[in-house]
Amino acid sequence: MSISSISVKRPTLVVVIFSILVLLGLVGYNTLTYELLPKLSTPVISITTIYPGAGPNEVETSVTKKIEEAVSDIENLDNTQSISQEGVSVVTVNLKYGTDVDIALQDAQRKVNTIKSELPASAKDPSLGKFSLDELPIMRIGASSDMDEREFTDLLDKTIKPELGRIDGVAKVDITGGEKREIKINVKNEKLKFYNISILQVSNAIANANLNFPTGSIKNTQQDVSIRLSGKLTSLNELSNLAVSTASDGSQVLLKDVADIYDSKEEATTLTRVNGIPSIGISIVKTKEGNTVGISKEVKERLAQIEKQYSAANVHFNISNDSADFTKEAANSVIHDLILAVILVAIIMLFFLHNIRNALIVMIAVPVSIISTFAVMAAFGFSLNLMSLLGLSLVVGILVDDSIVVLENIHLRMEKGSSAWDAAVGTWKEIGISVTSITLVIVAVFLPIVFVKGIISDLLFQFSIVVVAATLISWLVSFTLTPWLASRFTKLSHLNPDKLRDKPLIWFENTIKSFQNFFKGILEWALHHKRITFTSIIALVIASFTLIGSGMIGFEFASNGDNGEFQIQAEMPKETPLIQTNFLTQKIEKELLSDPAVTNVFTTVGASSGKSSAATSAYFSQINVKLVPREKRTLSSSDYAAQIKVKIQETIPGAKITATPVSMISGSASAPIQFQVQGANLDTVLAVGERVKAIMASVPGTSEIKASMEGGSPEVSIKVDRDKLAELNLSLDVVGATMQNAFAGNDKSKFLVGDEEYPIRVQLDQFDRSNMNDVSNLSFQNSKGDLIKLSQFASVEPSTGPTT
């Protein structure tokens, strides 16, 4: 008994089977989430180590190379890349595709732990993490209020940040900008000389007087009570009256005698604005499994609640960027196209099958197949993304193919005298094998994509499975549901030119016959001129290949698309302070905000220069720009970015400006062509690199040519005479620690307020560390208690730091 005869003779079974499939599909649809793209696997581990104050060469020798050696034998290692810049080492471990990154991360952590003792004492512990495209922020938010800036920063950091972090699917909440509380000890150099003490002595006195000690316990047969010595500083008065030394007359030298003490804020390293309004930046990063649209919705609800809760302080959140908006817009656009395709197919079926009854029988295959496919998508853990929805859109036409052939065969048998019942029962015997073979050919085209490896597999796996599943379900529908419906509802129909409803169908039939005659003429001519036809076909094939060879048709991994966003990066000269960078960045913001095509501008001044997110750069700023929807502007985001770059360069001639559209796949678009120059000698590598840059610049169409190695930053070079250092009873560690306290500041001591601790920063007053003379006049206390100036044992010269 054939499958079609079973479906016709046992309709209850067919109804039950497809009812279950449709029900599962509807349930599965409700579990599907919206995403822009499928999950992309990126087997990459990054190891970041902060080494404060160290130059690039020292970072490379003391940190980077040791970490590279430690992870060199990690399993499934493909290659390692490293960046050593001032104060930061970043080692990127690229693993082979398919590697379990979580296991590899644990292995890398163990290997790095074994060499931690070999790293410099002042270097912070290496931080390991997985790199993932999912770790790009899905939301950027600007927060503002009428509260005191320090109080508002504390509220965000200690209350709002944890609350947002508890939302299901949120991996991390980053806060940028703001003013964090800090106790500043501005030490006066002249006072230090007067009392014959050094700044290192002041720092040590504060650290030694700001301790809690667990000192044991009282034990007897009745109790066991711990003893704790509480020595933490809890008030500015205590801090001000802290004795830091003893004067020659025996009196105590208090901290307030040599320094000014302020309950202040940390020195700003980053500034954040939204649409030109000073704000504190909030970035939301989701987990790999997180639902972008769902997270966005819940974040907005929480922010609305917080605004209501703190309405008295006028707390306001401005969402500058929300990936969920573009995700929903893109998905809804594909769904709209899918619905439109279904409607067009239905209209075409009506014209070809001559009556609405037959068209509806065929069209049943489309919703049944698509809804049933949702069950397969849910079972595989898919989402409604551009690739899976593209698969559904592509397969709409295929879904009706088998049913059309089956229905046409039933009609043909009915015209020969068979009843609808007999025609439906016997259809499998005549065309079952041929229709099945056609279906399997389609499956054979798309199914092998499942076995492709690499990021291509991540992108196309869902697309392939969706097409294969929908096609197989449509085949099942064509030999079960379609014959059963045809056996009960179909009937032969003949067009009657006297009936008004048949006139459009007759016109369509005549048009089709005209096309048939036209193509028949072409075919007859081609058969009578075989040589010309064959030569023309070969010429067209060759010509099509020349389109690729000539560059008229290019190659790229994936189009960036146009999601209406681009990113501007402005790099000032390296000696530019944050305040000057901020002033110049405001000019760029003014230019952007004056354009009606710009809806949102999210600015970070003092942002990471792109090499490492761990280090900020005062001379660098980053601006994320959101444009109006594509239909409301004449230029694409990439063209707009190129245009605005030219304007900004005219406004700020000394800055290096980069403007790149934000890619749907990888965020800010990276350079599509990259060359690596390797060698044993750094000078040779730099020379060859410059030659490569010159060659690339001569190629038409290239822009934004930049080397990863850059010249060093301006610095003050201090060369110590070790013989004089020994004669003066000084050691290099005392010199280094004193200078670090004076110019970088020492914030290891903490000030206790309730349950919270705030840093106490000991540093020379700003007026005592503003030029090279202040460096030369810095005093150090030797082992005999004498103060020695830096100029007595070292030379101080302006210089340029090593290459980064």
Side-chain angles (χ1 to χ4, degrees):
M1 187 180 290
S2 67
I3 186 172
S4 59
S5 62
I6 294 175
S7 63
V8 173
K9 295 175 181 178
R10 298 180 182 177
T12 305
L13 179 63
V14 175
V15 172
V16 169
I17 290 174
F18 282 101
S19 296
I20 293 173
L21 281 175
V22 170
L23 181 61
L24 290 174
L26 292 173
V27 172
Y29 177 80
N30 289 326
T31 65
L32 298 176
T33 59
Y34 282 96
E35 294 292 345
L36 185 60
L37 291 167
K39 307 295 181 185
L40 300 179
S41 173
T42 49
V44 178
I45 297 172
S46 64
I47 306 171
T48 305
T49 309
I50 307 295
Y51 186 8
N57 289 344
E58 187 179 355
V59 169
E60 182 183 30
T61 303
S62 303
V63 179
T64 303
K65 287 186 176 180
K66 293 180 179 179
I67 292 177
E68 284 181 322
E69 290 174 4
V71 298
S72 61
D73 59 345
I74 194 171
E75 191 175 357
N76 293 322
L77 174 68
D78 188 7
N79 62 73
T80 59
Q81 296 177 329
S82 63
I83 296 172
S84 300
Q85 62 184 117
E86 189 171 347
V88 182
S89 163
V90 180
V91 178
T92 303
V93 181
N94 297 301
L95 304 166
K96 294 178 181 177
Y97 182 82
T99 302
D100 189 321
V101 183
D102 292 320
I103 294 176
L105 182 64
Q106 295 173 11
D107 189 20
Q109 183 71 68
R110 286 193 297 269
K111 293 180 182 297
V112 170
N113 287 342
T114 60
I115 56 99
K116 278 170 63 173
S117 60
E118 301 175 21
L119 301 180
S122 57
K124 297 184 179 180
D125 288 344
S127 172
L128 283 77
K130 297 179 293 183
F131 172 78
S132 172
L133 296 174
D134 291 315
E135 292 184 8
L136 298 172
I138 63 168
M139 297 182 75
R140 287 190 176 93
I141 305 162
S144 59
S145 77
D146 294 339
M147 299 169 66
D148 174 74
E149 191 72 11
R150 291 188 311 172
E151 184 182 350
F152 187 46
T153 303
D154 264 3
L155 174 68
L156 285 171
D157 197 40
K158 296 180 172 59
T159 304
I160 297 176
K161 178 180 176 179
E163 186 170 341
L164 295 177
R166 285 192 291 269
I167 293 175
D168 186 36
V170 172
K172 185 171 60 172
V173 179
D174 290 326
I175 305 291
T176 55
E179 297 178 355
K180 295 184 178 180
R181 186 178 182 183
E182 181 180 76
I183 308 301
K184 288 189 178 295
I185 312 294
N186 292 342
V187 182
K188 305 291 186 180
N189 199 26
E190 291 301 320
K191 296 288 184 71
L192 293 178
K193 293 176 184 178
F194 179 80
Y195 288 107
N196 197 42
I197 57 177
S198 70
I199 190 171
L200 186 60
Q201 202 171 343
V202 174
S203 294
N204 291 337
I206 294 173
N208 293 333
N210 190 34
L211 298 170
N212 282 341
F213 281 98
T215 57
S217 61
I218 299 173
K219 294 182 180 179
N220 54 42
T221 56
Q222 302 296 324
Q223 62 182 359
D224 186 348
V225 180
S226 299
I227 304 173
R228 183 169 63 88
L229 174 63
S230 300
K232 282 283 186 179
L233 295 167
T234 56
S235 72
L236 291 182
N237 186 52
E238 280 184 322
L239 190 58
S240 299
N241 293 305
L242 180 68
V244 296
S245 181
T246 303
S248 56
D249 59 0
S251 61
Q252 288 187 327
V253 179
L254 306 181
L255 181 60
K256 64 183 179 181
D257 296 330
V258 296
D260 294 330
I261 298 98
Y262 301 100
D263 187 349
S264 185
K265 61 184 180 182
E266 292 182 4
E267 185 176 352
T269 56
T270 58
L271 301 172
T272 304
R273 285 188 295 274
V274 176
N275 296 331
I277 300 172
S279 306
I280 299 176
I282 304 173
S283 297
I284 308 292
V285 179
K286 74 178 187 69
T287 61
K288 186 175 181 179
E289 296 77 20
N291 174 11
T292 301
V293 176
I295 292 171
S296 170
K297 180 181 178 182
E298 192 163 351
V299 166
K300 289 175 181 177
E301 290 174 354
R302 294 286 179 90
L303 294 180
Q305 293 172 3
I306 293 169
E307 284 183 340
K308 185 176 181 180
Q309 182 179 353
Y310 295 97
S311 57
N314 195 26
V315 172
H316 178 67
F317 298 98
N318 187 345
I319 299 175
S320 172
N321 175 270
D322 185 358
S323 299
D325 292 341
F326 182 71
T327 299
K328 288 187 291 186
E329 181 183 335
N332 289 336
S333 177
V334 177
I335 291 173
H336 174 268
D337 292 343
L338 177 61
I339 294 171
L340 184 62
V342 171
I343 294 172
L344 290 175
V345 168
I347 294 172
I348 293 170
M349 289 302 97
L350 175 62
F351 276 98
F352 274 100
L353 299 177
H354 298 168
N355 68 62
I356 195 168
R357 181 179 298 188
N358 293 334
L360 288 175
I361 291 174
V362 172
M363 285 305 300
I364 288 290
V366 176
V368 170
S369 300
I370 290 177
I371 294 173
S372 300
T373 304
F374 289 144
V376 178
M377 292 173 64
F380 276 89
F382 293 170
S383 61
L384 292 172
N385 55 68
L386 292 185
M387 300 311 297
S388 60
L389 290 172
L390 176 63
L392 289 175
S393 298
L394 177 69
V395 86
V396 167
I398 299 174
L399 297 181
V400 296
D401 288 351
D402 294 345
S403 291
I404 290 174
V405 174
V406 169
L407 190 61
E408 282 290 334
N409 181 262
I410 293 173
H411 279 200
L412 181 63
R413 291 168 63 87
M414 288 173 67
E415 288 177 350
K416 292 179 179 180
S418 298
S419 66
W421 177 281
D422 293 334
V425 169
T427 189
W428 172 265
K429 295 179 181 179
E430 289 193 9
I431 62 169
I433 300 301
S434 58
V435 171
T436 302
S437 64
I438 294 172
T439 303
L440 292 179
V441 166
I442 297 172
V443 171
V445 170
F446 289 98
L447 189 60
I449 299 174
V450 172
F451 305 104
V452 175
K453 298 297 181 183
I455 196 169
I456 298 297
S457 173
D458 292 335
L459 273 175
L460 298 181
F461 181 81
Q462 294 193 24
F463 170 80
S464 173
I465 293 295
V466 165
V467 171
V468 169
T471 302
L472 291 175
I473 293 172
S474 73
W475 171 85
L476 182 63
V477 170
S478 68
F479 284 108
T480 53
L481 201 57
T482 300
W484 171 65
L485 291 172
S487 68
R488 277 139 176 96
F489 303 107
T490 192
K491 65 178 182 178
L492 292 174
S493 61
H494 300 282
L495 298 178
N496 187 348
D498 296 329
K499 291 183 178 180
L500 182 63
R501 67 181 183 182
D502 287 349
K503 289 184 181 297
L505 300 177
I506 293 172
W507 171 85
F508 181 77
E509 284 287 327
N510 292 333
T511 305
I512 293 296
K513 287 179 181 179
S514 299
F515 274 111
Q516 285 177 343
N517 294 331
F518 173 73
F519 285 112
K520 181 181 178 182
I522 293 176
L523 181 60
E524 289 176 347
W525 184 92
L527 292 174
H528 286 95
H529 301 81
K530 296 178 182 178
R531 291 184 180 181
I532 298 175
T533 303
F534 181 76
T535 304
S536 301
I537 292 172
I538 295 300
L540 287 172
V541 171
I542 294 173
S544 65
F545 282 109
T546 61
L547 292 175
I548 299 174
S550 62
M552 296 182 69
I553 298 177
F555 290 91
E556 63 178 337
F557 172 65
S559 174
N560 286 334
D562 187 355
N563 58 357
E565 295 178 44
F566 66 93
Q567 187 180 89
I568 297 173
Q569 294 180 341
E571 184 177 347
M572 315 301 171
K574 292 194 173 183
E575 66 273 14
T576 307
L578 184 70
I579 188 171
Q580 183 66 14
T581 304
N582 183 44
F583 174 73
L584 295 173
T585 304
Q586 285 176 320
K587 288 187 176 181
I588 301 175
E589 288 177 304
K590 187 177 180 181
E591 181 74 35
L592 291 168
L593 292 170
S594 65
D595 194 316
V598 174
T599 58
N600 268 301
V601 177
F602 187 94
T603 306
T604 306
V605 183
S608 159
S609 61
K611 294 179 181 179
S612 166
S613 59
T616 57
S617 303
Y619 58 86
F620 194 89
S621 63
Q622 180 174 294
I623 305 173
N624 290 84
V625 184
K626 179 73 175 175
L627 301 173
V628 296
R630 184 64 178 88
E631 60 272 13
K632 295 183 180 179
R633 50 188 162 90
T634 56
L635 295 176
S636 66
S637 56
S638 56
D639 291 337
Y640 191 92
Q643 187 182 84
I644 201 69
K645 175 188 173 182
V646 175
K647 290 183 180 179
I648 294 171
Q649 285 177 326
E650 293 173 355
T651 307
I652 311 174
K656 297 178 183 177
I657 306 297
T658 303
T660 54
V662 175
S663 167
M664 291 189 298
I665 294 180
S666 58
S668 180
S670 58
I673 302 175
Q674 300 181 22
F675 288 90
Q676 288 188 348
V677 181
Q678 297 178 331
N681 184 277
L682 182 59
D683 293 333
T684 304
V685 169
L686 287 172
V688 174
E690 289 301 316
R691 290 172 58 189
V692 172
K693 283 177 63 179
I695 294 171
M696 294 174 70
S698 65
V699 177
T702 56
S703 64
E704 308 288 356
I705 301 171
K706 186 177 181 181
S708 61
M709 298 187 72
E710 302 173 349
S713 304
E715 65 179 25
V716 176
S717 176
I718 300 172
K719 297 180 180 178
V720 175
D721 186 325
R722 294 183 180 274
D723 293 333
K724 290 183 179 179
L725 193 71
E727 290 175 9
L728 296 170
N729 297 304
L730 276 171
S731 63
L732 201 58
D733 63 324
V734 171
V735 173
T738 303
M739 294 192 69
Q740 195 174 55
N741 277 260
F743 297 103
N746 184 328
D747 62 353
K748 293 181 179 178
S749 294
K750 306 299 177 185
F751 186 75
L752 186 64
V753 179
D755 294 330
E756 300 293 337
E757 288 188 332
Y758 300 94
I760 300 173
R761 181 172 292 276
V762 181
Q763 194 170 17
L764 274 184
D765 190 87
Q766 178 65 42
F767 295 104
D768 293 331
R769 50 183 175 91
S770 57
N771 56 58
M772 282 180 53
N773 288 332
D774 293 329
V775 179
S776 300
N777 293 325
L778 183 64
S779 298
F780 305 84
Q781 193 170 48
N782 65 10
S783 56
K784 295 182 178 180
D786 301 323
L787 289 184
I788 310 296
K789 284 187 177 182
L790 180 65
S791 57
Q792 293 179 244
F793 61 85
S795 62
V796 181
E797 300 173 354
S799 178
T800 301
T803 302
T804 59

